[in-house]
């Protein structure tokens, strides 16, 4: 199983990675991308099982990335958790309409984030863990 | 500038520092920033666009910037490297994004954050709009959140 962390902030990628590591998710199961364009390229070359995606990023933002991903047959049902500072109701509606599975507003503590992530990992039955 | 435009930024800042960083912060009385050059050595800024325009600047001393990002990541930083600047930028991003929830008069989008360092820099604030500075005190040092936002007509 592969989890991709898509965030232009190096610090946020590290924080999310640490949250996953604390739950014994192995390093080799995590991929990182600094923007939607990079993430899209990576997702084409390797099938990803869960995405953690920021909204505001250069090149291709999180919303546009989600729309492109959903348009690809292989990612029509893959869980996508948007983790963003964007807290306005209209942002949440826009993201859900675009195909986001779950919407999480930053800042979020690691244990709370894990509560949001773990159901999707459970569904896939992460046998390796 | 009306309190309804300042309070969302004040509340978002309090929430970020208290709930996420577990840091007790005390806010002072918002005031007009008389001299726009009166900011500290590390300032993270973000633009607001859409149905109004504006900017938000989170400003720390060098030392407080290091301490706040150390708190955020659990890593101790000794100098203002890319990770510290990135962390400070992320903080202003969170404040601006969270404040949008309570800015009900407008639909706005936020820019990518930028960070400026130094002792003598100038920010191109929106013209003709006052800049409101909100002072905060904390155990790791004082800082300010500075907001300039065109009001709804």
């Amino acid at each position: 199983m592969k989890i991709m962390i898509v965030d232009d902030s190096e610090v946020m990628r590290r924080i999310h990675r640490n949250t996953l590591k604390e739950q014994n998710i192995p390093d080799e199961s995590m991929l990182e991308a600094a923007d939607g364009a990079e993430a899209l390229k990576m997702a084409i070359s390797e099938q990803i099982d869960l995405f953690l995606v920021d909204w505001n990023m250069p090149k291709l933002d999180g919303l546009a990335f989600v729309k492109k991903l959903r348009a690809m047959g292989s990612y029509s049902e893959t869980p996508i958790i948007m983790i963003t500072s964007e807290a306005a109701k209209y942002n949440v509606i826009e993201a859900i309409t675009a195909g986001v599975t779950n919407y999480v507003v930053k800042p979020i503590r690691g244990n709370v984030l894990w509560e949001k992530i773990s159901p999707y990992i459970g569904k896939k039955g992460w046998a390796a863990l | 500038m009306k309190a309804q435009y300042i309070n969302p930024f004040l509340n978002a800042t309090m929430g970020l520092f208290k709930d996420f960083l577990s840091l007790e912060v005390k806010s002072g009385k918002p005031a007009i920033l008389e001299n726009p050059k009166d900011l500290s050595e590390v300032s993270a800024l973000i633009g607001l666009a859409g149905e109004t325009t504006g900017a938000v600047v989170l400003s720390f001393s060098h030392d407080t910037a290091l301490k706040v990002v150390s708190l955020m990541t659990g890593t101790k930083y000794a100098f203002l490297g890319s990770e510290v600047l990135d962390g400070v930028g992320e903080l202003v991003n969170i404040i601006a994004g969270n404040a949008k929830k309570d800015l009900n008069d407008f639909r706005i989008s936020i820019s990518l954050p930028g960070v400026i360092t130094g002792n003598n820099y100038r920010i191109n604030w929106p013209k003709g709009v006052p800049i409101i500075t909100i002072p905060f005190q904390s155990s790791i040092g004082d800082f300010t959140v500075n907001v300039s936002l065109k009001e709804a007509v």
Side-chain angles (χ1 to χ4, degrees), chain A residues 4-128:
Chain A
M4 187 187 283
I5 302 165
V6 191
D7 198 310
D8 59 327
S9 164
E10 186 186 347
V11 163
M12 287 314 300
R13 291 200 305 273
R14 174 121 78 91
I15 290 173
H16 296 336
R17 181 177 275 271
N18 286 343
T19 296
L20 297 173
K21 276 168 87 169
E22 281 168 14
Q23 301 297 331
N24 300 318
I25 308 272
D27 265 331
E28 57 271 25
S29 294
M30 295 182 245
L31 289 87
E32 291 184 18
D35 58 69
E38 186 187 0
L40 204 59
K41 274 188 197 162
M42 290 166 72
I44 290 167
S45 64
E46 186 169 7
Q47 186 66 27
I48 306 298
D49 303 289
L50 171 65
F51 291 90
L52 309 181
V53 183
D54 183 25
W55 185 313
N56 294 306
M57 294 183 288
K59 294 180 187 169
L60 187 68
D61 69 27
L63 194 72
F65 168 69
V66 170
K67 287 176 182 171
K68 284 185 183 289
L69 206 61
R70 287 299 188 219
M72 293 162 63
S74 54
Y75 288 112
S76 58
E77 292 188 6
T78 305
I80 304 171
I81 302 177
M82 185 159 266
I83 308 170
T84 173
S85 67
E86 298 279 6
K89 265 187 198 161
Y90 51 80
N91 289 131
V92 181
I93 293 166
E94 205 174 355
I96 299 294
T97 306
V100 162
T101 317
N102 205 333
Y103 193 94
V104 178
V105 176
K106 289 190 276 195
I108 185 163
R109 286 183 182 275
N111 59 331
V112 182
L113 179 59
W114 177 247
E115 282 174 19
K116 306 279 183 188
I117 295 172
S118 56
Y120 303 106
I121 288 172
K123 260 187 200 170
K124 288 295 273 188
W126 198 314

Side-chain angles (χ1 to χ4, degrees), chain B residues 6-15 27-28 30 95 99 134 136 145 147:
Chain B
I6 294 303
N7 288 342
F9 295 95
L10 195 157
N11 295 336
T13 307
M14 295 295 270
S27 64
I95 291 169
I134 315 168
F136 291 89
V145 172
V147 181

Side-chain angles (χ1 to χ4, degrees), chain A residues 7-12 14-15 18 54 56-58 85-88 90-91 94 105-109, chain B residues 16 18-20 22 72-73 75 77 82-83 86-87 90 93-94 97-98 100-101 106-108 110 112:
Chain A
D7 198 310
D8 59 327
S9 164
E10 186 186 347
V11 163
M12 287 314 300
R14 174 121 78 91
I15 290 173
N18 286 343
D54 183 25
N56 294 306
M57 294 183 288
S85 67
E86 298 279 6
Y90 51 80
N91 289 131
E94 205 174 355
V105 176
K106 289 190 276 195
I108 185 163
R109 286 183 182 275
Chain B
L16 169 63
K18 279 188 170 176
D19 303 338
F20 182 59
S22 303
M72 191 179 173
T73 63
T75 305
Y77 299 99
S82 63
E83 203 161 304
D86 178 78
E90 188 59 26
N93 176 49
I94 290 172
N98 286 191
K100 281 174 63 176
K101 182 175 53 138
F106 330 100
R107 188 182 169 110
I108 51 179
I110 58 177
L112 295 172

Side-chain angles (χ1 to χ4, degrees), chain B residues 62-112:
Chain B
H62 175 279
D63 188 48
T64 305
L66 293 177
K67 285 178 178 165
V68 74
V69 181
S70 295
L71 258 182
M72 191 179 173
T73 63
T75 305
K76 198 165 169 55
Y77 299 99
F79 64 95
L80 284 179
S82 63
E83 203 161 304
V84 174
L85 301 181
D86 178 78
V88 173
E90 188 59 26
L91 292 173
V92 80
N93 176 49
I94 290 172
I95 291 169
N98 286 191
K100 281 174 63 176
K101 182 175 53 138
D102 299 318
L103 288 168
N104 299 317
D105 285 0
F106 330 100
R107 188 182 169 110
I108 51 179
S109 57
I110 58 177
S111 72
L112 295 172

